[in-house]
Amino acid sequence: MLLRILTYHQVMPIYIDFLSVFGSQEEPRDLRFSGFREQNLIKEPARGPQVEFLGRSGRQFQLCYNLKASNLISLPDTKLREQEWSIRQAAIHHQFDVETGTSLWIVTKGDKEIKDRIEDMNGLDGRPEDRDFSSPENCFRRTLDVHLVCCNWSVEDWRWYIQWLEESIDLVFAPRDRSVPRHHFEPKDVQYVQSHEEKINIAIMILEANVNVLKSLREFYKNLLNDKNFPWRDACKDDILVFSEQVKVMTYDLEMQISRAKLLVKIIGDRKALVLQHLQAQGTEKMEDLTVSMHELGIMAQKEAIAMRIVTVVTVIFLPATFVSTFFSTDIIKYQNGGTFSQEALNNWFEVTIPLTLVTLVLCYISFKKSSRSKLARLGRVLRTPMSKSATS
């Protein structure tokens, strides 16, 4: 059906490229695609297709271009961080016959917003002059009004979109409570700032594309005033100049928004660097706290090791005595006939216990020294290995 419609009206084939960005999609695609195409066939004799019963003289011009606008898709009372904006596209094709005044408009958009605006302007509630199609030159004037409707749609909401981006960034750096010494940032803040930086860069690209389209549209109609084949150079001169001036004002407004957006990009870059510095500082503080905690744990472990060593030394000292006492327990004190004391058993106990205790302490000391030397040797080998590798390399 679309092919038959475009063929019937002899639409420029390039318009298919403008239509290709539409369709069912989760995320907007081809936002970087933008263009302005024209075809001027108003010279005499007619070079276009002549079909008199369809109101086609063959002297016509065609324009196709696309514009993009920002729209708030959330409810007005939605919180700032939860608001959602969408970039909407519109592909416009216009065809006008300079002899018959026949005009064709094909507007491709995801909704009927532009269509409703045009109907409001040319409908019963519109101004009488906007509904005047009594002559070809008046029909031409009405086409300028339709162009202005499309241009206004592409300009009006960018100011609020950039303001939303500014306020969203300010939320990350909102004034802190006086009781809090400084801001505490999280990694998600970097992701939030980065996503908004990408959005503003896309907005700059789209705004620049809209500016180029508006300038091309303005230039096309100004050139008609210098074209000797255009039949209403004098009759419609004032209308074209007014149209050109209005488009120029819109272009200036978009350029102001571009300057504002570029400044916001610089601010976002500086603030993102600030967030990264704060995160690094917070990480350093956490490492310092962890180091202090590890130091305290090391001191506690050292104290426990000293206590265990004391217990070990005491145990080692009393271990021989305990062993000997257990072995000779039946010979030291005898509970026979009221109990008697055995001096010989006590002397034997001392003769065995003292040398055994000394031998135990000496063996523990030798074992401790040997273990310390082994650890120092391993540490020396570990330290010498990197040095030898670096010397070899």
Side-chain angles (χ1 to χ4, degrees):
M1 179 60 71
L2 177 62
L3 179 60
R4 295 180 64 182
I5 293 174
L6 299 181
T7 303
Y8 177 82
H9 292 288
Q10 294 295 290
V11 176
M12 287 190 297
I14 193 64
Y15 190 63
I16 299 296
D17 291 341
F18 291 89
L19 295 179
S20 63
V21 302
F22 295 92
S24 178
Q25 50 188 287
E26 294 182 358
E27 295 293 335
R29 58 189 178 187
D30 287 340
L31 287 178
R32 297 178 178 86
F33 174 75
S34 182
F36 179 90
R37 302 292 187 273
E38 62 179 76
Q39 183 187 70
N40 192 335
L41 301 175
I42 64 175
K43 292 182 179 181
E44 293 183 324
R47 293 186 298 164
Q50 301 182 38
V51 185
E52 293 183 1
F53 69 92
L54 292 179
R56 300 177 187 175
S57 66
R59 297 182 60 204
Q60 63 179 20
F61 62 81
Q62 295 191 61
L63 302 175
C64 65
Y65 56 91
N66 66 339
L67 294 169
K68 304 177 185 70
S70 58
N71 294 100
L72 177 64
I73 59 178
S74 302
L75 296 176
D77 57 347
T78 306
K79 293 182 180 178
L80 185 63
R81 275 218 178 195
E82 299 175 358
Q83 288 183 1
E84 294 185 11
W85 287 74
S86 175
I87 306 299
R88 303 294 177 86
Q89 303 193 52
I92 297 104
H93 171 82
H94 172 55
Q95 181 176 311
F96 186 79
D97 192 297
V98 296
E99 287 192 4
T100 64
T102 303
S103 179
L104 170 70
W105 290 93
I106 300 177
V107 179
T108 306
K109 193 177 179 295
D111 54 29
K112 298 181 180 180
E113 182 178 1
I114 294 180
K115 174 178 176 292
D116 294 338
R117 294 188 183 191
I118 295 174
E119 290 179 348
D120 291 340
M121 180 181 64
N122 295 331
L124 297 177
D125 296 332
R127 298 182 305 172
E129 58 269 26
D130 292 334
R131 295 184 279 115
D132 185 5
F133 298 92
S134 58
S135 61
E137 54 266 31
N138 285 335
C139 293
F140 176 77
R141 293 186 180 99
R142 302 293 80 75
T143 62
L144 299 179
D145 296 335
V146 176
H147 281 304
L148 289 176
V149 169
C150 298
C151 294
N152 274 312
W153 168 82
S154 69
V155 173
E156 57 190 15
D157 283 339
W158 285 109
R159 170 191 172 188
W160 309 113
Y161 178 65
I162 296 176
Q163 181 175 327
W164 170 73
L165 290 172
E166 291 173 341
E167 293 175 352
S168 299
I169 293 299
D170 290 339
L171 283 179
V172 181
F173 302 89
R176 66 176 187 271
D177 189 357
R178 293 184 178 180
S179 60
V180 180
R182 63 179 176 179
H183 285 289
H184 179 76
F185 294 104
E186 299 179 359
K188 65 179 182 180
D189 293 328
V190 178
Q191 298 176 354
Y192 184 79
V193 173
Q194 179 65 35
S195 67
H196 280 66
E197 184 179 14
E198 294 175 358
K199 290 179 181 179
I200 195 63
N201 281 322
I202 292 175
I204 292 174
M205 176 201 65
I206 293 174
L207 288 170
E208 290 176 344
N210 283 354
V211 166
N212 292 332
V213 170
L214 294 185
K215 287 182 177 179
S216 299
L217 181 64
R218 177 171 172 260
E219 189 68 20
F220 173 81
Y221 280 98
K222 287 186 69 175
N223 289 337
L224 289 180
L225 295 178
N226 301 322
D227 192 340
K228 63 180 181 180
N229 296 296
F230 184 59
W232 311 306
R233 284 186 298 170
D234 297 329
C236 296
K237 179 179 179 180
D238 292 340
D239 299 281
I240 293 178
L241 292 177
V242 171
F243 168 80
S244 177
E245 189 63 27
Q246 289 180 325
V247 174
K248 183 179 179 181
V249 171
M250 296 180 197
T251 304
Y252 176 76
D253 183 55
L254 289 179
E255 289 174 343
M256 290 296 296
Q257 300 305 326
I258 292 173
S259 300
R260 179 182 175 188
K262 288 182 178 179
L263 177 61
L264 181 58
V265 168
K266 185 178 182 301
I267 294 174
I268 290 176
D270 294 340
R271 291 188 176 183
K272 184 170 66 173
L274 180 63
V275 172
L276 291 174
Q277 291 177 0
H278 274 271
L279 288 176
Q280 292 175 355
Q282 291 171 190
T284 303
E285 290 179 356
K286 291 182 179 179
M287 289 299 298
E288 291 177 354
D289 295 340
L290 181 60
T291 302
V292 171
S293 299
M294 293 299 296
H295 180 67
E296 294 176 353
L297 290 175
I299 293 176
M300 293 175 60
Q302 185 178 7
K303 292 180 180 179
E304 291 178 358
I306 293 173
M308 291 300 297
R309 184 171 295 179
I310 294 173
V311 172
T312 302
V313 170
V314 172
T315 302
V316 168
I317 292 174
F318 283 95
L319 180 62
T322 304
F323 172 75
V324 174
S325 297
T326 303
F327 189 75
F328 291 101
S329 59
T330 56
D331 297 327
I332 296 177
I333 299 176
K334 296 182 179 179
Y335 291 96
Q336 297 175 357
N337 299 325
T340 59
F341 178 75
S342 175
Q343 184 64 42
E344 182 179 0
L346 181 61
N347 293 336
N348 291 335
W349 184 85
F350 279 118
E351 291 174 358
V352 176
T353 300
I354 293 175
L356 186 58
T357 301
L358 294 175
V359 170
T360 302
L361 292 176
V362 169
L363 291 176
C364 289
Y365 179 77
I366 293 173
S367 176
F368 175 75
K369 285 294 183 181
K370 186 176 180 180
S371 176
S372 299
R373 289 172 184 170
S374 177
K375 291 180 180 179
L376 290 175
R378 286 198 301 270
L379 180 61
R381 287 195 299 270
V382 170
L383 295 176
R384 286 195 300 271
T385 299
M387 295 177 63
S388 61
K389 287 183 179 179
S390 61
T392 304
S393 60

